[in-house]
Amino acid sequence: MSFYAILQALEDVDYRVILQAWGILREKDLLARDEEGRYLLR
């Protein structure tokens, strides 16, 4: 998914909460990107 698609899917979640979770996923190296730039969970 693109980051924008993730935000749309979580539109009822506070943006700060999403960013905090995103930071944790990145810190733990749990995010990957495909050849089209979409994010994937490892």
Side-chain angles (χ1 to χ4, degrees):
M1 298 181 91
S2 69
F3 188 70
Y4 181 71
I6 292 167
L7 291 177
Q8 285 183 311
L10 299 172
E11 66 185 357
D12 60 328
V13 179
D14 184 62
Y15 185 70
R16 291 172 293 188
V17 172
I18 296 170
L19 289 181
Q20 288 172 337
W22 194 261
I24 292 168
L25 291 172
R26 290 183 57 115
E27 182 179 290
K28 296 180 181 272
D29 197 31
L30 295 175
L31 290 175
R33 294 186 92 171
D34 68 11
E35 57 279 342
E36 296 181 23
R38 294 174 297 208
Y39 288 97
L40 309 165
L41 288 174
R42 293 184 193 265

mmCIF file of all heavy atoms in Angstrom:
data_model
loop_
_atom_site.group_PDB
_atom_site.id
_atom_site.type_symbol
_atom_site.label_atom_id
_atom_site.label_comp_id
_atom_site.label_asym_id
_atom_site.label_seq_id
_atom_site.Cartn_x
_atom_site.Cartn_y
_atom_site.Cartn_z
ATOM 1 N N MET A 1 0.837 -1.178 0.000
ATOM 2 C CA MET A 1 0.000 0.000 0.000
ATOM 3 C C MET A 1 0.882 1.241 0.000
ATOM 4 O O MET A 1 1.976 1.223 0.543
ATOM 5 C CB MET A 1 -0.885 0.050 1.241
ATOM 6 C CG MET A 1 -1.878 -1.069 1.422
ATOM 7 S SD MET A 1 -2.856 -0.849 2.923
ATOM 8 C CE MET A 1 -4.212 0.071 2.267
ATOM 9 N N SER A 2 0.370 2.272 -0.555
ATOM 10 C CA SER A 2 1.067 3.554 -0.442
ATOM 11 C C SER A 2 0.763 4.130 0.938
ATOM 12 O O SER A 2 -0.203 3.747 1.602
ATOM 13 C CB SER A 2 0.583 4.518 -1.523
ATOM 14 O OG SER A 2 -0.762 4.905 -1.273
ATOM 15 N N PHE A 3 1.581 5.069 1.374
ATOM 16 C CA PHE A 3 1.338 5.698 2.665
ATOM 17 C C PHE A 3 -0.026 6.382 2.665
ATOM 18 O O PHE A 3 -0.767 6.312 3.643
ATOM 19 C CB PHE A 3 2.459 6.697 2.996
ATOM 20 C CG PHE A 3 2.375 7.244 4.382
ATOM 21 C CD1 PHE A 3 2.642 6.448 5.475
ATOM 22 C CD2 PHE A 3 2.023 8.565 4.590
ATOM 23 C CE1 PHE A 3 2.550 6.948 6.777
ATOM 24 C CE2 PHE A 3 1.932 9.082 5.875
ATOM 25 C CZ PHE A 3 2.199 8.266 6.962
ATOM 26 N N TYR A 4 -0.365 7.013 1.550
ATOM 27 C CA TYR A 4 -1.668 7.671 1.435
ATOM 28 C C TYR A 4 -2.813 6.671 1.584
ATOM 29 O O TYR A 4 -3.794 6.941 2.284
ATOM 30 C CB TYR A 4 -1.769 8.412 0.104
ATOM 31 C CG TYR A 4 -3.066 9.134 -0.078
ATOM 32 C CD1 TYR A 4 -3.357 10.270 0.668
ATOM 33 C CD2 TYR A 4 -4.012 8.683 -0.992
ATOM 34 C CE1 TYR A 4 -4.560 10.934 0.514
ATOM 35 C CE2 TYR A 4 -5.215 9.338 -1.151
ATOM 36 C CZ TYR A 4 -5.493 10.464 -0.403
ATOM 37 O OH TYR A 4 -6.689 11.108 -0.561
ATOM 38 N N ALA A 5 -2.692 5.505 0.975
ATOM 39 C CA ALA A 5 -3.725 4.473 1.083
ATOM 40 C C ALA A 5 -3.847 3.984 2.525
ATOM 41 O O ALA A 5 -4.952 3.714 3.001
ATOM 42 C CB ALA A 5 -3.416 3.308 0.149
ATOM 43 N N ILE A 6 -2.735 3.895 3.205
ATOM 44 C CA ILE A 6 -2.759 3.493 4.610
ATOM 45 C C ILE A 6 -3.510 4.537 5.429
ATOM 46 O O ILE A 6 -4.349 4.208 6.268
ATOM 47 C CB ILE A 6 -1.334 3.276 5.137
ATOM 48 C CG1 ILE A 6 -0.711 2.054 4.451
ATOM 49 C CG2 ILE A 6 -1.324 3.109 6.658
ATOM 50 C CD1 ILE A 6 0.774 1.914 4.651
ATOM 51 N N LEU A 7 -3.210 5.811 5.189
ATOM 52 C CA LEU A 7 -3.906 6.880 5.907
ATOM 53 C C LEU A 7 -5.405 6.849 5.633
ATOM 54 O O LEU A 7 -6.211 7.048 6.545
ATOM 55 C CB LEU A 7 -3.335 8.246 5.527
ATOM 56 C CG LEU A 7 -1.921 8.543 5.999
ATOM 57 C CD1 LEU A 7 -1.473 9.903 5.494
ATOM 58 C CD2 LEU A 7 -1.825 8.466 7.508
ATOM 59 N N GLN A 8 -5.779 6.603 4.393
ATOM 60 C CA GLN A 8 -7.197 6.524 4.051
ATOM 61 C C GLN A 8 -7.874 5.353 4.768
ATOM 62 O O GLN A 8 -8.992 5.485 5.246
ATOM 63 C CB GLN A 8 -7.379 6.372 2.546
ATOM 64 C CG GLN A 8 -7.139 7.641 1.784
ATOM 65 C CD GLN A 8 -7.415 7.444 0.303
ATOM 66 O OE1 GLN A 8 -6.930 6.488 -0.292
ATOM 67 N NE2 GLN A 8 -8.187 8.343 -0.266
ATOM 68 N N ALA A 9 -7.198 4.224 4.828
ATOM 69 C CA ALA A 9 -7.766 3.042 5.477
ATOM 70 C C ALA A 9 -7.911 3.246 6.982
ATOM 71 O O ALA A 9 -8.756 2.617 7.624
ATOM 72 C CB ALA A 9 -6.895 1.822 5.199
ATOM 73 N N LEU A 10 -7.103 4.140 7.534
ATOM 74 C CA LEU A 10 -7.114 4.402 8.980
ATOM 75 C C LEU A 10 -7.641 5.798 9.283
ATOM 76 O O LEU A 10 -7.234 6.417 10.261
ATOM 77 C CB LEU A 10 -5.694 4.241 9.542
ATOM 78 C CG LEU A 10 -5.066 2.858 9.379
ATOM 79 C CD1 LEU A 10 -3.605 2.891 9.782
ATOM 80 C CD2 LEU A 10 -5.841 1.827 10.177
ATOM 81 N N GLU A 11 -8.572 6.283 8.483
ATOM 82 C CA GLU A 11 -9.037 7.660 8.612
ATOM 83 C C GLU A 11 -9.648 7.981 9.973
ATOM 84 O O GLU A 11 -9.670 9.133 10.381
ATOM 85 C CB GLU A 11 -10.016 8.008 7.504
ATOM 86 C CG GLU A 11 -11.315 7.236 7.571
ATOM 87 C CD GLU A 11 -12.207 7.535 6.387
ATOM 88 O OE1 GLU A 11 -11.855 8.373 5.547
ATOM 89 O OE2 GLU A 11 -13.283 6.930 6.317
ATOM 90 N N ASP A 12 -10.099 6.973 10.708
ATOM 91 C CA ASP A 12 -10.675 7.217 12.030
ATOM 92 C C ASP A 12 -9.632 7.180 13.152
ATOM 93 O O ASP A 12 -9.964 7.370 14.313
ATOM 94 C CB ASP A 12 -11.792 6.213 12.312
ATOM 95 C CG ASP A 12 -11.317 4.773 12.283
ATOM 96 O OD1 ASP A 12 -10.381 4.476 11.515
ATOM 97 O OD2 ASP A 12 -11.905 3.947 13.005
ATOM 98 N N VAL A 13 -8.365 6.966 12.804
ATOM 99 C CA VAL A 13 -7.271 6.917 13.781
ATOM 100 C C VAL A 13 -6.525 8.244 13.751
ATOM 101 O O VAL A 13 -6.264 8.791 12.678
ATOM 102 C CB VAL A 13 -6.300 5.750 13.453
ATOM 103 C CG1 VAL A 13 -5.152 5.703 14.442
ATOM 104 C CG2 VAL A 13 -7.043 4.432 13.421
ATOM 105 N N ASP A 14 -6.197 8.759 14.933
ATOM 106 C CA ASP A 14 -5.463 10.008 15.034
ATOM 107 C C ASP A 14 -4.129 9.903 14.281
ATOM 108 O O ASP A 14 -3.401 8.916 14.413
ATOM 109 C CB ASP A 14 -5.218 10.339 16.509
ATOM 110 C CG ASP A 14 -4.551 11.671 16.707
ATOM 111 O OD1 ASP A 14 -5.148 12.690 16.321
ATOM 112 O OD2 ASP A 14 -3.423 11.683 17.251
ATOM 113 N N TYR A 15 -3.833 10.921 13.502
ATOM 114 C CA TYR A 15 -2.630 10.930 12.664
ATOM 115 C C TYR A 15 -1.365 10.706 13.489
ATOM 116 O O TYR A 15 -0.456 10.004 13.066
ATOM 117 C CB TYR A 15 -2.567 12.260 11.904
ATOM 118 C CG TYR A 15 -1.446 12.351 10.910
ATOM 119 C CD1 TYR A 15 -1.460 11.593 9.746
ATOM 120 C CD2 TYR A 15 -0.373 13.209 11.127
ATOM 121 C CE1 TYR A 15 -0.434 11.674 8.818
ATOM 122 C CE2 TYR A 15 0.659 13.304 10.204
ATOM 123 C CZ TYR A 15 0.615 12.538 9.062
ATOM 124 O OH TYR A 15 1.635 12.622 8.157
ATOM 125 N N ARG A 16 -1.307 11.285 14.687
ATOM 126 C CA ARG A 16 -0.121 11.113 15.538
ATOM 127 C C ARG A 16 0.083 9.661 15.934
ATOM 128 O O ARG A 16 1.217 9.192 16.005
ATOM 129 C CB ARG A 16 -0.228 11.993 16.780
ATOM 130 C CG ARG A 16 -0.114 13.476 16.456
ATOM 131 C CD ARG A 16 -0.405 14.301 17.652
ATOM 132 N NE ARG A 16 -1.821 14.104 17.964
ATOM 133 C CZ ARG A 16 -2.486 14.772 18.865
ATOM 134 N NH1 ARG A 16 -1.895 15.686 19.580
ATOM 135 N NH2 ARG A 16 -3.765 14.542 19.070
ATOM 136 N N VAL A 17 -1.005 8.940 16.159
ATOM 137 C CA VAL A 17 -0.910 7.521 16.515
ATOM 138 C C VAL A 17 -0.343 6.724 15.341
ATOM 139 O O VAL A 17 0.507 5.843 15.522
ATOM 140 C CB VAL A 17 -2.296 6.972 16.947
ATOM 141 C CG1 VAL A 17 -2.265 5.472 17.132
ATOM 142 C CG2 VAL A 17 -2.768 7.668 18.213
ATOM 143 N N ILE A 18 -0.799 7.049 14.144
ATOM 144 C CA ILE A 18 -0.287 6.374 12.947
ATOM 145 C C ILE A 18 1.208 6.632 12.801
ATOM 146 O O ILE A 18 1.985 5.701 12.541
ATOM 147 C CB ILE A 18 -1.049 6.835 11.687
ATOM 148 C CG1 ILE A 18 -2.517 6.416 11.785
ATOM 149 C CG2 ILE A 18 -0.399 6.288 10.415
ATOM 150 C CD1 ILE A 18 -3.411 7.016 10.733
ATOM 151 N N LEU A 19 1.622 7.880 12.972
ATOM 152 C CA LEU A 19 3.045 8.205 12.842
ATOM 153 C C LEU A 19 3.888 7.519 13.905
ATOM 154 O O LEU A 19 5.011 7.079 13.626
ATOM 155 C CB LEU A 19 3.251 9.719 12.891
ATOM 156 C CG LEU A 19 2.757 10.482 11.667
ATOM 157 C CD1 LEU A 19 3.043 11.969 11.844
ATOM 158 C CD2 LEU A 19 3.388 9.956 10.393
ATOM 159 N N GLN A 20 3.385 7.412 15.116
ATOM 160 C CA GLN A 20 4.122 6.709 16.166
ATOM 161 C C GLN A 20 4.291 5.236 15.807
ATOM 162 O O GLN A 20 5.385 4.672 15.944
ATOM 163 C CB GLN A 20 3.403 6.836 17.507
ATOM 164 C CG GLN A 20 3.500 8.221 18.100
ATOM 165 C CD GLN A 20 2.616 8.391 19.324
ATOM 166 O OE1 GLN A 20 1.633 7.677 19.505
ATOM 167 N NE2 GLN A 20 2.969 9.356 20.152
ATOM 168 N N ALA A 21 3.218 4.611 15.341
ATOM 169 C CA ALA A 21 3.294 3.196 14.941
ATOM 170 C C ALA A 21 4.231 3.022 13.755
ATOM 171 O O ALA A 21 5.026 2.075 13.702
ATOM 172 C CB ALA A 21 1.897 2.675 14.599
ATOM 173 N N TRP A 22 4.156 3.957 12.801
ATOM 174 C CA TRP A 22 5.024 3.915 11.623
ATOM 175 C C TRP A 22 6.492 3.970 12.060
ATOM 176 O O TRP A 22 7.336 3.235 11.538
ATOM 177 C CB TRP A 22 4.676 5.093 10.712
ATOM 178 C CG TRP A 22 5.236 4.989 9.343
ATOM 179 C CD1 TRP A 22 6.364 5.592 8.883
ATOM 180 C CD2 TRP A 22 4.705 4.247 8.255
ATOM 181 N NE1 TRP A 22 6.561 5.274 7.571
ATOM 182 C CE2 TRP A 22 5.552 4.448 7.160
ATOM 183 C CE3 TRP A 22 3.590 3.434 8.115
ATOM 184 C CZ2 TRP A 22 5.310 3.857 5.934
ATOM 185 C CZ3 TRP A 22 3.361 2.854 6.894
ATOM 186 C CH2 TRP A 22 4.223 3.073 5.827
ATOM 187 N N GLY A 23 6.780 4.842 13.004
ATOM 188 C CA GLY A 23 8.147 4.967 13.519
ATOM 189 C C GLY A 23 8.640 3.683 14.156
ATOM 190 O O GLY A 23 9.790 3.283 13.969
ATOM 191 N N ILE A 24 7.772 3.016 14.896
ATOM 192 C CA ILE A 24 8.146 1.742 15.526
ATOM 193 C C ILE A 24 8.438 0.690 14.462
ATOM 194 O O ILE A 24 9.428 -0.047 14.547
ATOM 195 C CB ILE A 24 7.036 1.273 16.485
ATOM 196 C CG1 ILE A 24 6.961 2.210 17.693
ATOM 197 C CG2 ILE A 24 7.275 -0.166 16.932
ATOM 198 C CD1 ILE A 24 5.735 2.017 18.547
ATOM 199 N N LEU A 25 7.575 0.614 13.442
ATOM 200 C CA LEU A 25 7.800 -0.354 12.365
ATOM 201 C C LEU A 25 9.121 -0.094 11.660
ATOM 202 O O LEU A 25 9.868 -1.028 11.346
ATOM 203 C CB LEU A 25 6.644 -0.312 11.364
ATOM 204 C CG LEU A 25 5.300 -0.834 11.862
ATOM 205 C CD1 LEU A 25 4.214 -0.538 10.840
ATOM 206 C CD2 LEU A 25 5.373 -2.315 12.184
ATOM 207 N N ARG A 26 9.421 1.172 11.400
ATOM 208 C CA ARG A 26 10.688 1.515 10.736
ATOM 209 C C ARG A 26 11.882 1.210 11.627
ATOM 210 O O ARG A 26 12.892 0.681 11.176
ATOM 211 C CB ARG A 26 10.691 2.977 10.322
ATOM 212 C CG ARG A 26 9.739 3.259 9.182
ATOM 213 C CD ARG A 26 9.823 4.695 8.763
ATOM 214 N NE ARG A 26 11.192 5.029 8.401
ATOM 215 C CZ ARG A 26 11.590 5.375 7.193
ATOM 216 N NH1 ARG A 26 10.711 5.478 6.232
ATOM 217 N NH2 ARG A 26 12.840 5.648 6.937
ATOM 218 N N GLU A 27 11.755 1.548 12.908
ATOM 219 C CA GLU A 27 12.834 1.303 13.865
ATOM 220 C C GLU A 27 13.179 -0.173 13.948
ATOM 221 O O GLU A 27 14.336 -0.554 14.061
ATOM 222 C CB GLU A 27 12.392 1.830 15.234
ATOM 223 C CG GLU A 27 13.418 1.690 16.320
ATOM 224 C CD GLU A 27 12.874 2.261 17.620
ATOM 225 O OE1 GLU A 27 12.724 3.495 17.692
ATOM 226 O OE2 GLU A 27 12.592 1.473 18.538
ATOM 227 N N LYS A 28 12.165 -1.020 13.894
ATOM 228 C CA LYS A 28 12.370 -2.470 13.968
ATOM 229 C C LYS A 28 12.618 -3.092 12.599
ATOM 230 O O LYS A 28 12.668 -4.309 12.473
ATOM 231 C CB LYS A 28 11.167 -3.123 14.646
ATOM 232 C CG LYS A 28 11.009 -2.695 16.090
ATOM 233 C CD LYS A 28 9.815 -3.364 16.721
ATOM 234 C CE LYS A 28 9.650 -2.909 18.139
ATOM 235 N NZ LYS A 28 10.399 -3.722 19.071
ATOM 236 N N ASP A 29 12.767 -2.252 11.583
ATOM 237 C CA ASP A 29 13.037 -2.680 10.208
ATOM 238 C C ASP A 29 11.988 -3.680 9.707
ATOM 239 O O ASP A 29 12.305 -4.694 9.098
ATOM 240 C CB ASP A 29 14.446 -3.270 10.106
ATOM 241 C CG ASP A 29 14.929 -3.340 8.673
ATOM 242 O OD1 ASP A 29 14.538 -2.480 7.860
ATOM 243 O OD2 ASP A 29 15.697 -4.272 8.354
ATOM 244 N N LEU A 30 10.720 -3.371 9.987
ATOM 245 C CA LEU A 30 9.626 -4.256 9.599
ATOM 246 C C LEU A 30 8.911 -3.806 8.334
ATOM 247 O O LEU A 30 7.962 -4.446 7.897
ATOM 248 C CB LEU A 30 8.614 -4.373 10.745
ATOM 249 C CG LEU A 30 9.145 -5.053 12.006
ATOM 250 C CD1 LEU A 30 8.106 -4.995 13.114
ATOM 251 C CD2 LEU A 30 9.550 -6.486 11.720
ATOM 252 N N LEU A 31 9.353 -2.698 7.750
ATOM 253 C CA LEU A 31 8.753 -2.213 6.514
ATOM 254 C C LEU A 31 9.693 -2.453 5.344
ATOM 255 O O LEU A 31 10.892 -2.271 5.446
ATOM 256 C CB LEU A 31 8.464 -0.705 6.601
ATOM 257 C CG LEU A 31 7.345 -0.284 7.525
ATOM 258 C CD1 LEU A 31 7.274 1.232 7.587
ATOM 259 C CD2 LEU A 31 6.019 -0.853 7.076
ATOM 260 N N ALA A 32 9.113 -2.877 4.256
ATOM 261 C CA ALA A 32 9.859 -3.039 3.004
ATOM 262 C C ALA A 32 9.091 -2.284 1.931
ATOM 263 O O ALA A 32 7.957 -1.861 2.145
ATOM 264 C CB ALA A 32 9.979 -4.517 2.646
ATOM 265 N N ARG A 33 9.706 -2.102 0.788
ATOM 266 C CA ARG A 33 9.036 -1.455 -0.339
ATOM 267 C C ARG A 33 9.187 -2.337 -1.563
ATOM 268 O O ARG A 33 10.224 -2.930 -1.795
ATOM 269 C CB ARG A 33 9.633 -0.083 -0.596
ATOM 270 C CG ARG A 33 9.342 0.855 0.588
ATOM 271 C CD ARG A 33 9.790 2.221 0.317
ATOM 272 N NE ARG A 33 8.656 2.938 -0.263
ATOM 273 C CZ ARG A 33 8.647 4.224 -0.470
ATOM 274 N NH1 ARG A 33 9.701 4.934 -0.184
ATOM 275 N NH2 ARG A 33 7.586 4.824 -0.970
ATOM 276 N N ASP A 34 8.114 -2.398 -2.345
ATOM 277 C CA ASP A 34 8.188 -3.172 -3.578
ATOM 278 C C ASP A 34 8.742 -2.305 -4.701
ATOM 279 O O ASP A 34 9.099 -1.138 -4.488
ATOM 280 C CB ASP A 34 6.832 -3.787 -3.934
ATOM 281 C CG ASP A 34 5.768 -2.780 -4.323
ATOM 282 O OD1 ASP A 34 6.088 -1.582 -4.527
ATOM 283 O OD2 ASP A 34 4.598 -3.174 -4.431
ATOM 284 N N GLU A 35 8.833 -2.875 -5.899
ATOM 285 C CA GLU A 35 9.432 -2.171 -7.033
ATOM 286 C C GLU A 35 8.633 -0.944 -7.469
ATOM 287 O O GLU A 35 9.140 -0.078 -8.178
ATOM 288 C CB GLU A 35 9.646 -3.111 -8.218
ATOM 289 C CG GLU A 35 8.411 -3.812 -8.698
ATOM 290 C CD GLU A 35 8.025 -5.032 -7.882
ATOM 291 O OE1 GLU A 35 8.836 -5.589 -7.139
ATOM 292 O OE2 GLU A 35 6.855 -5.429 -7.979
ATOM 293 N N GLU A 36 7.389 -0.841 -7.012
ATOM 294 C CA GLU A 36 6.545 0.317 -7.346
ATOM 295 C C GLU A 36 6.469 1.328 -6.201
ATOM 296 O O GLU A 36 5.729 2.299 -6.280
ATOM 297 C CB GLU A 36 5.150 -0.153 -7.745
ATOM 298 C CG GLU A 36 5.178 -0.981 -9.016
ATOM 299 C CD GLU A 36 3.799 -1.441 -9.433
ATOM 300 O OE1 GLU A 36 2.811 -0.807 -9.032
ATOM 301 O OE2 GLU A 36 3.738 -2.435 -10.157
ATOM 302 N N GLY A 37 7.236 1.089 -5.126
ATOM 303 C CA GLY A 37 7.303 2.030 -4.015
ATOM 304 C C GLY A 37 6.245 1.844 -2.947
ATOM 305 O O GLY A 37 6.165 2.618 -2.012
ATOM 306 N N ARG A 38 5.429 0.784 -3.068
ATOM 307 C CA ARG A 38 4.414 0.527 -2.057
ATOM 308 C C ARG A 38 5.056 -0.123 -0.839
ATOM 309 O O ARG A 38 6.035 -0.863 -0.959
ATOM 310 C CB ARG A 38 3.336 -0.382 -2.614
ATOM 311 C CG ARG A 38 2.532 0.279 -3.727
ATOM 312 C CD ARG A 38 1.593 -0.695 -4.342
ATOM 313 N NE ARG A 38 2.365 -1.771 -4.969
ATOM 314 C CZ ARG A 38 1.958 -2.479 -5.999
ATOM 315 N NH1 ARG A 38 0.775 -2.261 -6.514
ATOM 316 N NH2 ARG A 38 2.714 -3.421 -6.516
ATOM 317 N N TYR A 39 4.487 0.154 0.325
ATOM 318 C CA TYR A 39 5.012 -0.415 1.559
ATOM 319 C C TYR A 39 4.450 -1.791 1.808
ATOM 320 O O TYR A 39 3.286 -2.069 1.543
ATOM 321 C CB TYR A 39 4.677 0.501 2.738
ATOM 322 C CG TYR A 39 5.493 1.757 2.732
ATOM 323 C CD1 TYR A 39 4.995 2.920 2.198
ATOM 324 C CD2 TYR A 39 6.775 1.769 3.244
ATOM 325 C CE1 TYR A 39 5.751 4.086 2.169
ATOM 326 C CE2 TYR A 39 7.537 2.925 3.228
ATOM 327 C CZ TYR A 39 7.023 4.070 2.693
ATOM 328 O OH TYR A 39 7.775 5.211 2.669
ATOM 329 N N LEU A 40 5.291 -2.648 2.363
ATOM 330 C CA LEU A 40 4.925 -4.020 2.715
ATOM 331 C C LEU A 40 5.477 -4.309 4.098
ATOM 332 O O LEU A 40 6.537 -3.814 4.481
ATOM 333 C CB LEU A 40 5.556 -5.015 1.736
ATOM 334 C CG LEU A 40 5.351 -4.766 0.249
ATOM 335 C CD1 LEU A 40 6.325 -5.597 -0.555
ATOM 336 C CD2 LEU A 40 3.935 -5.091 -0.137
ATOM 337 N N LEU A 41 4.768 -5.144 4.850
ATOM 338 C CA LEU A 41 5.311 -5.625 6.112
ATOM 339 C C LEU A 41 6.213 -6.811 5.807
ATOM 340 O O LEU A 41 5.856 -7.684 5.024
ATOM 341 C CB LEU A 41 4.196 -6.045 7.056
ATOM 342 C CG LEU A 41 3.363 -4.921 7.653
ATOM 343 C CD1 LEU A 41 2.210 -5.494 8.461
ATOM 344 C CD2 LEU A 41 4.218 -4.014 8.506
ATOM 345 N N ARG A 42 7.360 -6.820 6.432
ATOM 346 C CA ARG A 42 8.286 -7.949 6.240
ATOM 347 C C ARG A 42 7.778 -9.177 6.933
ATOM 348 O O ARG A 42 7.107 -9.183 7.859
ATOM 349 C CB ARG A 42 9.670 -7.607 6.788
ATOM 350 C CG ARG A 42 10.340 -6.535 5.998
ATOM 351 C CD ARG A 42 11.748 -6.326 6.545
ATOM 352 N NE ARG A 42 12.304 -5.123 6.034
ATOM 353 C CZ ARG A 42 13.091 -5.042 4.964
ATOM 354 N NH1 ARG A 42 13.426 -6.126 4.320
ATOM 355 N NH2 ARG A 42 13.548 -3.891 4.561
#
